[in-house]
């Protein structure tokens, strides 16, 4: 399983909560490579929206 997919799976558990850098850092502790793969968090994005962005990034779709 890809690290971005695993991260998206964790985020989707509470999709309505706001996404933040703190939340991202808390979820990827011990996995610094994930931060290099993850796209920038859009302003005002929820965890669910960011999870979708991670899945699209994994598939090679760019905004």
């Amino acid at each position: 399983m890809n690290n971005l997919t695993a991260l998206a799976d964790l985020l989707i558990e509470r999709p309505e909560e706001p996404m933040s850098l703190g939340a991202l850092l808390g979820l990827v502790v011990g996995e610094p490579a994930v931060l290099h793969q993850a796209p920038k968090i859009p302003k005002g994005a929820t965890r669910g929206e960011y999870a979708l962005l991670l899945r699209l990034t994994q598939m090679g779709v760019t905004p």
Side-chain angles (χ1 to χ4, degrees), residues 29-61:
V29 170
E31 296 286 337
V34 174
L35 289 177
H36 295 288
Q37 297 175 322
K40 180 180 173 184
I41 301 169
K43 184 176 180 176
T46 64
R47 286 181 173 215
E49 292 166 339
Y50 191 66
L52 177 60
L53 182 57
L54 289 173
R55 292 184 192 283
L56 290 172
T57 300
Q58 177 60 32
M59 293 185 320
V61 177

